[in-house]
Amino acid sequence: MLDYRIAFQFKFLVWLVVLVFIGACQPDPEPRRLLEKAHDRWIDGHSHSAVELFRAVLEISPKGPVAQEALFRLGEIYYFDLDDYEKALGFFQDVAKRNPKGPFAYDSRKYIAEIVELNIKDLDQAIIEYQNLINLNERPEENAEHQFRIASIFFKKHNYDQALMELEILLENYPKSDWAERAYFRMMEILFSLKKCDEARTRYTAFQNAFPRSDFEGDMEFIMASCLEEEGQLDQAYERFQALEGNYRYPALIKMKLEGLEQRIKKGGRSKRKIHRSRRKD
């Protein structure tokens, strides 16, 4: 009988230890409920109330996945709703530092890059942040966008040669992405501004072959017409601008270009051909 009782007590203690261990491994339901309540308050438009609740979550559970989500949501609220990008940046940096492989780390790094570029305007650091995202290769489908952002930053810095190089990398690594279309357009803008119209024409041909039905077709045609105008081929430029009438997003700009070309040709512009009377604007 004594051995039976000892065996029973031993089994009971073992089960008790197991239950305690399981309970310790389970997430505390209270922080999770509080997190959900905070999220609901935010969705309902009560940003300040949501902030207090998310902070309460951090006080109750300062570590773990619940804390990481609370930090991430606080960053979003301060960034999008409260327009305090410095506090938002701090929260996103905290998320990325606490768990670099966590579910909120990648999006936090994206926000960090965006804030550094657009709000803090530290362009050199922004390039580093976008390049880090590419190197992580966690979401390869987004790498073309990050590469485009890098090229655009060099464009902002007036480093046009480097911008062209970064766009070349985009076209080489992500030739079929939607961002490749934008890359062609940005390259042609840069080449036109550098008065390299021959190179722009080469790029335009490659663009047409790669994307025969692109939304950027009208913009590309506008640049091609502008190149002709820049080179003094006024009648050809006129015809190309005229072909865009009714198909270009800025009709007032087309009208201005046509009127300006008519005046230049009437005053003896470098074009050797004249505009036929039937094509002249009243």
Side-chain angles (χ1 to χ4, degrees), residues 117-118 121 123 149-160 163 186:
E117 177 193 359
L118 302 178
K121 300 187 185 305
L123 300 184
R149 293 307 318 153
I150 291 173
S152 296
I153 291 171
F154 280 112
F155 184 80
K156 289 180 183 179
K157 289 164 62 70
H158 305 292
N159 188 343
Y160 301 123
R186 180 55 57 85

Side-chain angles (χ1 to χ4, degrees), residues 29-39 53-54 56-57 60:
E30 180 58 29
R32 174 57 63 182
R33 284 197 295 265
L34 197 58
L35 186 78
E36 293 173 357
K37 183 178 180 180
H39 192 270
L53 289 170
F54 281 125
V57 171
I60 298 172

Side-chain angles (χ1 to χ4, degrees), residues 124-141:
D124 292 331
Q125 185 60 37
I127 291 171
I128 294 172
E129 299 294 347
Y130 285 118
Q131 189 61 57
N132 286 340
L133 284 166
I134 293 173
N135 294 341
L136 282 171
N137 203 35
E138 187 172 327
R139 298 181 192 169
E141 69 277 7

Side-chain angles (χ1 to χ4, degrees), residues 1-15:
M1 179 68 74
L2 183 60
D3 291 340
Y4 173 78
R5 288 180 179 178
I6 292 174
F8 177 79
Q9 290 175 350
F10 178 75
K11 289 183 179 179
F12 176 78
L13 288 173
V14 170
W15 278 107

